[in-house]
Amino acid sequence: MVVACVSSHLRRTGDGAKTFIILLCHLLRGLHTVIDKEQDSLISKNIQTHRRHWKNCCQWKFISQALLTFQTQILDYIMDHYLSKHFLTIFSSSTEERTLCRSSLELLLEAYFCGRVGRNNHYFISQLMCNYFFKCMACESGFEEVFDLVDDYFVELNVGVTGLPVSDSRIIAGLVLHRDFSVYCPADGDIRIVIVTETIQPLFSASASEFILNSEAQFQTSQFWIMEKTKAIVKHLQSQNVKLLLSSVKQPDLVTYYAGLNGISVVECLSPEEVSLIQRVMGLSPFILPQASSQYEICNTASVKFCKPLTLRSKRYVHLGLISTCSFVPHCIVLCGPVQGLVEQHEGALHGAFKMLRQLFKDLDLSYMIQTSDQNHTSSPLTYKDSRESNPLPEIVNGLIQRPYQGTVVKNKGNLAKTQTYLKVYSNLVVPSVELETCIPCSTPKVTPTDTYQTNETLRCLAPTKTRTIDDNEPFIESNSANSTAENTGIEISSENLQVTKIAGKGNMLPVREKSLEMCTSQSYCCSTLPAGCVLPVGGNFEILLHYYLLNYTRKCQQSEESVVSMIIANALLGIPQVLYKSKKGKYSFPQIYIRTLHALQTSQPIVSSQKGLESVAGKYQLLTSVLQCLTKILTIDLVINIRRQPREMYDQDSDEEV
Amino acid sequence: MSRLEAKKPSLCKSEPLTSEKVRATLCVLKGILTSSYGPSGRLKQVHNGLGGCVCTTSQSSALLSNLPVTHPILKILTTSTKNHVSCFSDCGLFTAILCCNLIENVQRTGLTPTTVIKLNQHLLRLCTNYLKSESCGCRIPVDFSSPQTLLCLVRSIVTSKPACMLTREETDHISALVLKAFLLTIPENTKDRLILGKSIIVPLKGHRVLDSTVFPGILIEVSEVQLMKILPIKKSNAFKVALFCASLSGDLSDTGEGTMVVSSGVSLENAVLEQLLNLGRQLVSDHVDLVMCQKVLHPSLKQFLSMHQVIAIDRVGVALMEPLSKVTGTQPIGSLGSISPSSYGSVKDLCPAKFGFKHFLHLIPNEATICSLLLCNRNDTAWDELKLTCQTALHVLQLTIKEPCVLLGGGCTETHLAAYIRHKTCNEPESILRDDGCTQTELQLLTEAFCRALESVAGSLEHDGGEVLTDMKYGHCWSSQAESPSVVNWPDWLSRCGCGLCNSQEELHWSFLKATQHPIAPQTCLPHEATGSSNNLTLDCFTAKLSGLQVAVETANLILDLSYVIEDKN
């Protein structure tokens, strides 16, 4: 399952498989130690009767849900608030028109290829890729299209040649089709091409139809007709100045013969991908054969600059100088290498690099819950908590009582644990009080802090606002007493919302009216975007930064499960730079780097990186979310059923678990 | 129920090069390769204990494709060599031996792979830049006005394949033939691009090598009976030729995906035959003299054509189609209906020929770049080797046309290059060390390993127990006869250097190749016309050797960079 997760992640982003595994290991290890430690503290008397394993499972599940919450909320929040100020951009100017900075791209690619291509030629390959990219890009703004195209049609856009040294790899303009001409007629000037997807020669009978032959003469006439028809079509193509016929099927001898007679080159058996690439680049659609009349106009032609055979290592290819109608200027990479495996490795690395860049140049959407709390609109969760602890609560509630049902109370209906990021905002004005009454029984089990995850889950579902709403209905004193018991869980509940504070952006979906209800905790769905092209220096910078901010964050919200989870993640993150700097000594050893970075952060100095390369933030972010998702998957599984097939019978082999 | 076999776990080995077993196998492979290298190399007989054909060879392509190599590291080495050979035909053994030497020598230095790879790349760049530069002392430009250089090049290739079993006279004969065959493929008047023709090698085994000949045009093998039918060929100035790529056997062509219903009494065969005969009539009325078909001709059509004195040859095969259409200037016809007159071609003459027990029809073109090389040798294995050799030589000549220069052979390029690198790294180490953070000691260690690797390639040309020396002026490679006294007057014992350019009567100083070499600045030794030294040089293909050098260093780097080998044993 882990492997499946890694490969699906890799398919999408083309980066971070090794980091994925390392991070996952560290997370699991971290979880184990935490669980071991907490075992005693968490087990209360009523749970002890349960089976140990079962309890463990519950715990795992609980943690996995906490992880999900972390992933959907805390992470985005931290990314947006703290980390984003450290991000560098790959564009040379931060103005509206984004121009790619070549040197930063080079650094980025070099760092990327460092781990993928042997030391022998990683510099060469990254230069090649960089050149390729800049050659393919027609205008500054169109690079996203270029990435999409190259990623989708990567196989068609490169040619592998074995037996030559890697340094002979090069970029050639135009498109190289991986086959030879069936007929080649040298042509100059305006070369027009057509694409066909069926045989030009009409056949005796189409599918699901019958052709009845009554006499020999009829047979001969129909053959003659076929011949004449083919001739006419080819002649017509010639009259339209068509010099090249691209066909996705094999054409009969007759067609290639007439094409040759009329000076039309033919390339047969194109793959569907090649056809669609040509269509996309040139905006050319296949030529549909007219059924009846011979008078027709071919509108689906396009011009090419040249069309010639290309010989690479005694194998012949078709080389087309396509004229692009989109922002992608077709170029091909000829990858050479002494052995096939090396060529394939380089191909894979280049493809991965394009995937990585494709991700990098997309805006990354961050979305998380925003909770506007307090009169003060405090941005820090800490303040919010403090305000509760320093007992302004009665006042708040008092305020609420004074204005019963006045404002909107936001209820969190969606199950947060299920990655449901949509939060429906309900106005409590329409909610009848009966409904509120029904909620009261719910709150009763809630108050017992000893209960397992289920109650916590419920708590989470029914956001704290509800508790408070209930409080409104009850006499103040009563609610206060309930509150004192609910406090512990309450903090935990809020903590998940706490991290989400105000955010600059469009996403504030709360109606203005709600602003009047400043006392109440209100939640709203918020999104912000991480601009495309964010990069950080390599060498675990991202991890150390995230670690630092997560630790800071956990310090602010103690006692909660969330903080434990954040802590685990923060520590696991640190494992990556640890591995990276393992072989380094002295000034560049891990502790040194770590301390230096932390110091720089605390004194808010710029962080000096010892390495030159850059890496994509979007890639790192996605890596982290993928790892967390994988982890939650692993944790929710309580039992592995091993099915072993044996010669005589098949049976399921269970562990000693009763399900 | 299919049997299920338990999946074996993958095998993972770390630091594969440090294992004693790998070193030993690498050493064995190197031994096989070095002992086959060069004109005096020993032959290898590759055969299966169960019987079957036996291959006697000293060529890398034949050797490596037959050797069962199991270890992944050796596989990389052999595949990379094979791929190189399939690109350039030549310098396969050079590449493989250099790669083995590099791996061995570098391991002995004990430097970390990172440093080794960086420095190796620098040294390789030094080499390639030097070889490509004008000042290169081991490169000779090719003079196309005289065949001498090219002939030397071909002869060097032929002599370096001892498994062909050629005498001196035969070697000269074959070299001249190959060069002639190559020259016949060059078009007389070229426009912008030079498009070379093709030499077709026609086998004739069991005959004397001296019977080999080369013809312009194409030899088509025909049976004696067929030839008797064709004869006598009427004389004319030119023969009109039609070449068919479509089948003329009377089978129905593709009828589409639907069904075809034929009423009773309708014979499609007759209809098709009628069509074929119509075609025959058109050919006759167009005065076609020779009809050739890639596939099968219908017997009736054949008879019809021969009745009208049209020569018909079928089953030509797809391989001959392109040369045939080039020789005759025809366009392969794919239609059974009307034939455009522009599809016809012509040949100047058509004559029967008999070589040994084989009968041929010889198509003599007006002007074409296709020739046939009739190659004879005494037995199968020797013929196979000779054929490979001729193909290599033809390919090398094509490469030389593209890059008109050659390198000195006989080990001189290697020793010269080694001397140059030593000199360069000793006198200007800053240029290499500038950006890399390697120390001077590391550079010196690796330079020594690199140069030694090059020199031992040159040294492995000697198989008869002689000493290999290098001179201190040009850095060429010299080899003495066996059992020479330890302290001698070298000029008397040595006559010429490996490539034949330098004469021992000049004031030269020698040192053993095995001894410690002192850095010298090697000078260029120019060929002197007067001494006649340029007539008998040993030369190597520039492009192939340069690429071989690059591939060898790259492959060695790749192998040295490996820290794990993970094998799927299933």
Side-chain angles (χ1 to χ4, degrees), chain A residues 504-528:
Chain A
K506 51 190 174 148
N508 207 328
M509 301 197 300
L510 286 180
V512 191
R513 200 156 37 118
E514 223 169 75
K515 292 266 160 74
S516 64
L517 198 96
E518 283 162 334
M519 323 288 277
C520 198
T521 52
S522 57
Q523 302 167 337
S524 84
Y525 176 63
C526 194
C527 40
S528 90

Side-chain angles (χ1 to χ4, degrees), chain A residues 440-469:
Chain A
I440 300 169
C442 290
S443 67
T444 333
K446 229 183 304 178
V447 225
T448 51
T450 47
D451 246 326
T452 45
Y453 74 101
Q454 279 145 323
T455 49
N456 282 322
E457 201 178 24
T458 338
L459 259 176
R460 210 174 294 126
C461 293
L462 312 161
T465 41
K466 190 156 242 177
T467 334
R468 223 108 320 127
T469 327

Side-chain angles (χ1 to χ4, degrees), chain A residues 349-579:
Chain A
L350 281 174
H351 198 176
F354 272 107
K355 278 188 176 149
M356 185 266 290
L357 286 181
R358 189 184 187 177
Q359 294 283 338
L360 174 67
F361 288 113
K362 273 192 186 133
D363 288 344
L364 181 67
D365 291 325
L366 299 175
S367 52
Y368 47 87
M369 293 289 303
I370 171 175
Q371 183 160 358
T372 15
S373 59
D374 298 357
Q375 298 97 320
N376 311 325
H377 259 282
T378 42
S379 58
S380 155
L382 191 67
T383 337
Y384 173 65
K385 210 174 104 209
D386 281 344
S387 69
R388 285 190 69 180
E389 278 170 355
S390 59
N391 207 15
L393 190 67
E395 282 174 43
I396 299 167
V397 181
N398 265 332
L400 264 176
I401 289 168
Q402 279 160 19
R403 293 175 267 165
Y405 303 114
Q406 194 186 359
T408 33
V409 181
V410 184
K411 193 168 74 174
N412 180 1
K413 258 246 167 136
N415 191 350
L416 283 175
K418 283 189 179 170
T419 346
Q420 270 265 3
T421 39
Y422 286 110
L423 281 159
K424 288 168 192 152
V425 182
Y426 278 87
S427 165
N428 213 17
L429 287 170
V430 285
V431 180
S433 55
V434 191
E435 200 184 309
L436 287 172
E437 301 271 328
T438 55
C439 289
I440 300 169
C442 290
S443 67
T444 333
K446 229 183 304 178
V447 225
T448 51
T450 47
D451 246 326
T452 45
Y453 74 101
Q454 279 145 323
T455 49
N456 282 322
E457 201 178 24
T458 338
L459 259 176
R460 210 174 294 126
C461 293
L462 312 161
T465 41
K466 190 156 242 177
T467 334
R468 223 108 320 127
T469 327
I470 295 155
D471 290 350
D472 293 342
N473 291 336
E474 314 275 307
F476 172 59
I477 318 282
E478 246 185 74
S479 80
N480 209 9
S481 66
N483 224 346
S484 61
T485 47
E487 189 87 33
N488 281 335
T489 43
I491 288 165
E492 188 225 312
I493 299 153
S494 49
S495 72
E496 62 151 334
N497 300 321
L498 278 178
Q499 77 280 41
V500 224
T501 11
K502 66 118 204 207
I503 166 76
K506 51 190 174 148
N508 207 328
M509 301 197 300
L510 286 180
V512 191
R513 200 156 37 118
E514 223 169 75
K515 292 266 160 74
S516 64
L517 198 96
E518 283 162 334
M519 323 288 277
C520 198
T521 52
S522 57
Q523 302 167 337
S524 84
Y525 176 63
C526 194
C527 40
S528 90
T529 49
L530 208 59
C534 276
V535 284
L536 269 179
V538 291
N541 258 310
F542 177 85
E543 286 83 5
I544 297 181
L545 283 176
L546 191 56
H547 165 84
Y548 173 76
Y549 287 117
L550 275 177
L551 278 194
N552 265 5
Y553 171 73
T554 43
R555 238 171 269 138
K556 288 171 192 162
C557 51
Q558 283 146 5
Q559 300 175 343
S560 70
E561 271 301 311
E562 293 302 332
S563 80
V564 173
V565 168
S566 308
M567 195 75 156
I568 293 170
I569 292 171
N571 286 330
L573 277 170
L574 217 52
I576 293 163
Q578 248 165 1
V579 173

Side-chain angles (χ1 to χ4, degrees), chain B residues 3 68 178 286 327 371 397 494 496 521:
Chain B
R3 255 183 69 208
V178 169
D286 283 346
V327 160
C371 66
L397 286 171
L494 308 164
R496 290 206 166 273

